[in-house]
Amino acid sequence: MDEQLFFKKLDNLCTSKEIFSFLSSLEVMSDTMASGALQRISDIEVDDNGLKNPGLLENEVFRALCFQFEFESSKLSNTGLLNALQALIKLCIDPQSTLMTSLLSESKERLGRGQLTAENLCALGESLLELEGPSCATLEQIVNHMQERGIERWSPREIAMVYRILQVTVREGKQCQNLLNRLNSVTLHKVSQLSPNFASVILNSLVVLHQTRAVLLIIALCKHSVKHVPYFTDHELVDVLEAFLYFGQKVQTFTQALERHVPKSICTMHPQTISKVMQYCCKKMILSKPIFDAVAEDFISSADKLTPDQIAAYIIPFGTLNYLPPSASSLFRKLETVLHTRLRHFQPHTLLKLLHSCVLIQRYPINFLPKIFSPYFLQKLQAQPPGLNRVVMSQLTQLFLTVTLECPFYEGPKLLSKYQVKACPTLHSSPDVHLFKRVKTGLFHLLKKRIYFASEVSTPYFYVIDIEIKLDEEGFVLPAAQLEEIHRRIALCVDGQNRFCAHSHNLLGEEAIKQRHLQLLGYEVVQIPFFEIESLQSTRKMADYLHKKIFPCTYG
């Protein structure tokens, strides 16, 4: 049969049974056709979980093909040899079998004799990378042969493969930064030609190889990734998101592409991919309601299949970014059910982070707090990295403060004082220096003397107040140092952009709970958000704004 007609028919076959039947009907076929059939079988029979039907390896047609490849390897064309090798690796044939040993040995001999074309070198390199314990020497030999052609002439496939090979050689302790610098430079001019697979492979390699100085290439690849978002496989999307996180990239069009892709594809996405999407949003402080709403719905329907780490990855960003989806009641009801049945499977630090994130958005894990505050659980926390560091103790303290202030009906064990901290440091607690300075200047203009307000005041209740103003019973401002006859305390929260979700006026969870608790502790909380004072250019205008905000009764 004509090869062109053979491959046209082969592409229309959808099961290995159909392929075997088709092959049985042919009297003669070339090694290229036979290796193409093996590749088609591997495409159909292998998915993310491996070989779907191991029984096909016992099929007599399959065994006959393998027999031919094993005993006639020296007579095969380069294309037939290397395509067969790739297909058999994908089909999980034992690398130590005589079949695989024969094909590998023949491939390496042809490499040594310089008989392989650029495309052949790529196929061999990809095969060696897929096998366990690839031979570093052979991979280096492939790169050296490719360099003879000139790096500027490499195709996107060759570029992607060399990046993968360099990952292996670097792990083996080899230095290759000079080649990497040249490769990074050439790749920059070919970014627009990269497929979704090659783009994700190269981004992943840049992460593994710590190429933080290849700034222009990283930016170009991240921007190029936007159009590929709907076409990335789960594994590829995870690698791309990891690269965005590692290199600190935040491309708004990429987030928008995720917002279009995730809600409609979430039913078929792997939980690990969804976890990585949520981690990306959480680390970048991106409150994407379309993504979060879709993830909430997915959690409600599939939580029983998730691992404890995946459950935490799904839920924690809701608390961190201070967002309750429309399905919040069902979401947290499902979470409680899952925790009741699988609590013992959670690592201590994962469980603490999860429950702490819940209280940030006023979802109180009352039924699980006796376990958290128990000496046994606290000992387990201390025994596992990172132990009882300041962040962990702050989360414990804030959990305890939450039940004390917001759940007066809680009668379970309390958190022992030795596990409590006097101040709750949060990642975004420090005020914006420039904004803070402008507010203090405005206050000085309004109150005439610096003694009438204090800044960055530590309270007995774990929180640090940006600015505190004390008033007597008649509403007059008292000196900040005065300790008696204080009737009212005003807590000014100078909230810069670092306390809000990105491109949003939505307070982060840690700041929202702080302001909520300060109110419950008797403070009058006055929020001074950055977006209200950005346009106030003069000190007089700032003082006027503060007067109206802090003392509305006397304004005007």
Side-chain angles (χ1 to χ4, degrees):
M1 181 181 284
D2 172 67
E3 277 198 9
Q4 200 171 355
L5 178 60
F6 172 85
F7 282 110
K8 188 175 179 182
K9 286 195 172 188
L10 186 66
D11 287 341
N12 289 325
L13 302 177
C14 300
T15 67
S16 54
K17 187 176 179 181
E18 290 175 351
I19 294 171
F20 291 139
S21 177
F22 172 52
L23 296 179
S24 299
S25 69
L26 302 175
E27 289 186 15
V28 180
M29 67 178 122
S30 68
D31 65 341
T32 310
M33 292 158 71
S35 64
L38 287 177
Q39 285 191 312
R40 181 66 181 148
I41 292 167
S42 70
D43 289 341
I44 291 170
E45 293 292 346
V46 177
D47 59 18
D48 290 341
N49 298 317
L51 190 59
K52 297 179 195 172
N53 175 24
L56 76 87
L57 304 183
E58 300 303 318
N59 181 280
E60 60 182 24
V61 178
F62 180 81
R63 290 168 68 89
L65 282 175
C66 291
F67 183 85
Q68 291 289 106
F69 279 109
E70 181 177 342
F71 292 100
E72 298 189 12
S73 59
S74 61
K75 299 177 185 177
L76 300 173
S77 67
N78 287 343
T79 302
L81 172 68
L82 293 163
N83 285 353
L85 182 62
Q86 282 191 309
L88 293 168
I89 289 170
K90 195 172 177 182
L91 287 165
C92 309
I93 303 299
D94 180 8
Q96 305 303 320
S97 66
T98 52
L99 167 63
M100 296 298 282
T101 306
S102 174
L103 294 178
L104 276 170
S105 175
E106 180 63 29
S107 301
K108 289 177 183 178
E109 280 182 30
R110 295 188 192 187
L111 172 66
R113 294 196 296 264
Q115 292 178 306
L116 302 181
T117 65
E119 192 173 343
N120 298 153
L121 289 168
C122 272
L124 179 57
E126 288 161 357
S127 296
L128 290 172
L129 285 165
E130 290 303 320
L131 289 172
E132 288 294 320
S135 162
C136 194
T138 308
L139 290 171
E140 282 187 82
Q141 201 177 348
I142 290 172
V143 174
N144 292 337
H145 275 287
M146 290 176 66
Q147 282 185 273
E148 289 169 10
R149 287 181 57 243
I151 196 168
E152 293 76 14
R153 296 168 57 198
W154 289 357
S155 68
R157 182 186 178 190
E158 291 170 274
I159 288 171
M161 191 206 58
V162 172
Y163 271 113
R164 289 183 65 200
I165 289 176
L166 292 178
Q167 281 181 241
V168 174
T169 55
V170 164
R171 279 200 293 268
E172 297 277 332
K174 302 290 171 79
Q175 297 301 315
C176 55
Q177 191 57 52
N178 288 338
L179 174 56
L180 265 171
N181 290 341
R182 290 170 59 210
L183 188 56
N184 292 343
S185 178
V186 169
T187 307
L188 178 60
H189 300 291
K190 299 196 177 184
V191 166
S192 61
Q193 303 171 33
L194 298 177
S195 67
N197 175 253
F198 295 153
S200 70
V201 163
I202 294 170
L203 275 170
N204 177 248
S205 296
L206 292 174
V207 170
V208 174
L209 296 165
H210 310 298
Q211 294 300 292
T212 51
R213 293 185 178 180
V215 178
L216 293 177
L217 176 58
I218 292 160
I219 292 171
L221 283 167
C222 288
K223 287 181 177 177
H224 180 68
S225 298
V226 173
K227 70 177 183 181
H228 290 319
V229 166
Y231 311 108
F232 285 127
T233 64
D234 277 357
H235 181 72
E236 289 165 359
L237 184 55
V238 167
D239 283 346
V240 171
L241 289 166
E242 194 63 58
F244 269 81
L245 290 169
Y246 181 81
F247 293 117
Q249 291 294 307
K250 186 159 69 175
V251 180
Q252 199 159 358
T253 50
F254 180 80
T255 304
Q256 290 164 353
L258 282 178
E259 288 181 333
R260 291 189 295 270
H261 173 66
V262 172
K264 65 183 181 185
S265 307
I266 198 162
C267 294
T268 57
M269 290 174 77
H270 192 280
Q272 206 56 38
T273 311
I274 299 170
S275 299
K276 185 59 71 173
V277 170
M278 291 301 276
Q279 184 193 0
Y280 168 79
C281 290
C282 194
K283 295 260 185 181
K284 299 290 183 185
M285 301 300 168
I286 297 168
L287 175 55
S288 168
K289 292 182 181 180
I291 292 175
F292 277 51
D293 292 349
V295 170
E297 292 292 345
D298 186 68
F299 183 87
I300 292 164
S301 61
S302 63
D304 296 324
K305 303 171 190 171
L306 303 179
T307 66
D309 284 345
Q310 288 166 352
I311 290 168
Y314 275 51
I315 299 297
I316 288 172
F318 286 94
T320 304
L321 303 188
N322 186 29
Y323 177 64
L324 286 171
S327 58
S329 57
S330 301
L331 174 68
F332 287 95
R333 193 159 51 243
K334 183 66 178 180
L335 176 61
E336 184 166 17
T337 303
V338 170
L339 286 175
H340 269 300
T341 55
R342 297 169 60 191
L343 193 68
R344 68 182 184 279
H345 297 136
F346 282 79
Q347 290 297 316
H349 286 279
T350 304
L351 182 61
L352 175 61
K353 286 178 193 171
L354 178 60
L355 299 186
H356 176 258
S357 72
C358 291
V359 301
L360 297 179
I361 42 178
Q362 296 178 278
R363 289 298 180 269
Y364 309 112
I366 295 298
N367 294 326
F368 308 104
L369 290 180
K371 176 182 175 71
I372 297 293
F373 295 151
S374 72
Y376 175 67
F377 182 82
L378 294 169
Q379 284 169 10
K380 284 174 71 178
L381 269 180
Q382 191 162 13
Q384 293 182 9
L388 287 173
N389 64 16
R390 194 157 179 76
V391 172
V392 172
M393 289 180 72
S394 295
Q395 290 173 338
L396 286 167
T397 303
Q398 204 162 40
L399 267 176
F400 177 61
L401 190 58
T402 298
V403 293
T404 304
L405 294 173
E406 302 184 58
C407 309
F409 49 85
Y410 173 74
E411 295 178 349
K414 303 287 191 273
L415 180 67
L416 296 174
S417 58
K418 69 177 181 177
Y419 296 110
Q420 298 177 30
V421 290
K422 297 200 184 308
C424 273
T426 53
L427 288 171
H428 305 88
S429 61
S430 298
D432 180 304
V433 177
H434 177 64
L435 202 67
F436 200 45
K437 187 177 179 181
R438 288 183 61 212
V439 171
K440 287 197 289 185
T441 304
L443 266 182
F444 180 75
H445 189 82
L446 175 66
L447 302 177
K448 308 306 178 191
K449 288 186 179 180
R450 181 65 180 81
I451 62 166
Y452 289 122
F453 64 92
S455 55
E456 298 185 271
V457 180
S458 294
T459 70
Y461 312 107
F462 315 110
Y463 294 112
V464 175
I465 297 172
D466 295 334
I467 295 174
E468 183 184 41
I469 298 172
K470 298 172 181 176
L471 306 178
D472 66 11
E473 196 168 355
E474 295 178 13
F476 289 106
V477 179
L478 298 170
Q482 187 162 324
L483 301 176
E484 298 173 350
E485 297 179 7
I486 301 164
H487 187 65
R488 292 162 58 199
R489 292 175 186 265
I490 297 174
L492 265 62
C493 296
V494 184
D495 294 330
Q497 290 187 37
N498 61 326
R499 293 182 180 176
F500 292 87
C501 298
H503 312 294
S504 165
H505 294 172
N506 194 77
L507 268 182
L508 295 174
E510 61 186 27
E511 189 60 27
I513 194 173
K514 171 185 169 180
Q515 295 184 17
R516 195 165 73 238
H517 283 179
L518 287 174
Q519 283 183 319
L520 291 169
L521 289 163
Y523 288 89
E524 292 178 33
V525 175
V526 177
Q527 191 186 9
I528 312 292
F530 74 94
F531 51 84
E532 287 184 2
I533 58 177
E534 277 177 324
S535 60
L536 305 177
Q537 297 303 319
S538 69
T539 303
R540 187 187 61 77
K541 285 184 178 178
M542 177 65 82
D544 196 50
Y545 164 84
L546 292 170
H547 189 170
K548 186 177 181 180
K549 193 88 176 181
I550 304 168
F551 308 109
C553 295
T554 63
Y555 181 74

